[in-house]
């Protein structure tokens, strides 16, 4: 089965920097270049959607300085790489809540999405100010609203819930990779992960390469996804 939708928890920028006697933000800066490399590699591999966890709803707990730096990264990323992404026919998308993001950052994200709107290649989807519990609560509210307005009966089925989630337009999640050795989900795509394959790798995000992605896909392809059934 081919891999259509890959998600990555890009973790370990801070530790990578610290181990080199640098400040944490230098890890984030290097991480931006790796986002470009991963996007190009995923596109070359024929992946349809690459969802990258860039900023969680919990990351606001970090120092104002670090949060401020992280919020400037979309500007850094798109000013350097948007042209190349356009040439590769990649479309930019976002999940998460835009309204709490600083206006300057939101504007940059919105204009990258607008500019690439008609691109038909891979979708590079940033999870920005994203938390899956919040996503599920918002989906529940939307559904409740539909019931209240008489658009729906109170008869929601499991296979219909997706349409209320922020990922509704994307194919089901096949593979989730987390870098830097932590074996946890950190509030990422909780519903979507139900039958995704998981890969936790030790490499910190700044050292992730296209070869790493290829290895992860090979590993994925060697797995036997049974979805609760029995292999015939
Ligand atoms: C991932 O690296 C980037 C974000 C969470 C925004 P970290 O900043 O979490 O780096 P570590 O995990 O502290 O090393
Ligand atoms: C998850 O990494 C969020 C992103 C990569 C954006 P964290 O570094 O925030 O997660 P925890 O705190 O280790 O769980
Ligand atoms: Mg981390």
């Amino acid at each position: 089965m081919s891999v259509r939708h890959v998600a990555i928890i890009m973790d370990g920028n801070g530790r990578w920097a610290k181990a080199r006697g640098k400040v944490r933000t230098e890890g984030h800066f290097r991480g931006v270049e790796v986002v470009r490399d991963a996007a190009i590699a995923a596109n070359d591999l024929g992946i349809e959607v690459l969802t990258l966890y860039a900023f969680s709803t919990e990351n606001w707990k970090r120092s104002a300085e670090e949060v401020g730096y992280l919020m400037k990264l979309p500007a850094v990323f798109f000013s350097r790489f948007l042209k190349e992404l356009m040439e590769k026919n990649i479309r930019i998308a976002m999940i998460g809540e835009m309204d709490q993001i600083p206006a300057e950052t939101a504007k940059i994200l919105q204009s990258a999405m607008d500019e690439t709107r008609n691109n038909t290649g891979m979708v590079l989807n940033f999870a920005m100010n994203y938390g899956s519990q919040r996503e599920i609560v918002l989906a529940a509210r939307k559904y409740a609203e539909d019931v209240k307005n008489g658009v729906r009966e109170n008869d929601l089925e499991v296979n219909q819930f997706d349409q209320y989630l922020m990922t509704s337009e994307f194919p089901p999640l096949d593979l989730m990779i987390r870098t830097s050795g932590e074996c946890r989900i950190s509030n990422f795509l909780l519903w979507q992960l139900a039958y995704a394959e998981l890969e936790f790798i030790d490499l910190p995000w700044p050292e992730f390469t296209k070869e790493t992605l290829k290895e992860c896909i090979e590993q994925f392809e060697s797995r036997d996804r049974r979805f609760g059934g029995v292999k015939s």
Side-chain angles (χ1 to χ4, degrees):
M1 202 191 285
S2 70
V3 53
R4 301 179 66 194
H5 185 175
V6 176
I8 307 180
I9 301 178
M10 308 183 286
D11 198 19
N13 294 350
R15 280 165 285 166
W16 178 85
K18 207 176 158 212
R20 277 154 194 79
K22 300 173 187 212
V23 288
R24 291 178 56 81
T25 47
E26 289 196 44
H28 298 317
F29 186 77
R30 171 71 193 128
V32 167
E33 289 166 343
V34 178
V35 168
R36 177 263 171 210
D37 295 349
I40 300 299
N43 183 61
D44 290 347
L45 288 165
I47 289 163
E48 290 174 45
V49 180
L50 179 66
T51 296
L52 299 178
Y53 206 4
F55 193 91
S56 76
T57 47
E58 287 71 35
N59 287 146
W60 296 106
K61 293 178 192 162
R62 298 186 180 198
S63 72
E65 190 203 349
E66 185 167 345
V67 169
Y69 189 88
L70 290 167
M71 288 298 156
K72 290 200 177 77
L73 292 181
V76 172
F77 178 75
F78 291 120
S79 67
R80 287 178 67 182
F81 304 123
L82 188 61
K83 189 167 170 277
E84 187 182 12
L85 299 173
M86 270 309 277
E87 283 161 13
K88 295 267 179 186
N89 197 24
I90 291 171
R91 175 161 73 87
I92 304 300
M94 185 194 139
I95 54 174
E97 287 169 276
M98 195 72 118
D99 46 4
Q100 291 128 20
I101 292 175
E104 257 320 287
T105 311
K107 215 173 88 188
I108 282 157
L109 285 162
Q110 191 57 55
S111 76
M113 289 192 280
D114 291 344
E115 207 173 311
T116 61
R117 172 156 305 175
N118 297 320
N119 289 357
T120 53
M122 190 186 79
V123 177
L124 178 58
N125 178 36
F126 288 99
M128 190 71 190
N129 187 29
Y130 171 87
S132 191
Q133 291 180 331
R134 173 85 180 155
E135 173 189 36
I136 291 168
V137 165
L138 292 179
R141 283 192 202 166
K142 256 188 267 169
Y143 179 67
E145 198 65 26
D146 279 356
V147 173
K148 194 172 83 184
N149 295 333
V151 177
R152 289 198 59 127
E153 298 293 319
N154 192 3
D155 60 355
L156 187 67
E157 298 290 347
V158 166
N159 63 3
Q160 299 167 335
F161 190 62
D162 300 59
Q163 73 197 58
Y164 291 95
L165 296 171
M166 292 168 178
T167 50
S168 60
E169 61 165 312
F170 305 132
L173 185 61
D174 295 305
L175 170 62
M176 196 286 287
I177 301 163
R178 182 173 187 146
T179 60
S180 210
E182 308 294 354
C183 296
R184 56 176 170 260
I185 303 299
S186 303
N187 202 11
F188 191 43
L189 301 172
L190 299 174
W191 177 276
Q192 297 86 342
L193 282 167
Y195 268 102
E197 294 293 323
L198 308 180
E199 293 184 28
F200 297 95
I201 61 175
D202 286 334
L203 217 60
W205 179 248
E207 290 177 17
F208 190 94
T209 64
K210 63 173 194 287
E211 281 72 34
T212 322
L213 182 65
K214 264 191 221 148
E215 280 161 25
C216 289
I217 305 291
E218 275 163 27
Q219 167 72 241
F220 169 87
E221 281 166 349
S222 75
R223 302 228 184 135
D224 179 18
R225 295 179 90 188
R226 289 186 290 274
F227 299 98
V230 176
K231 201 168 183 227
S232 53

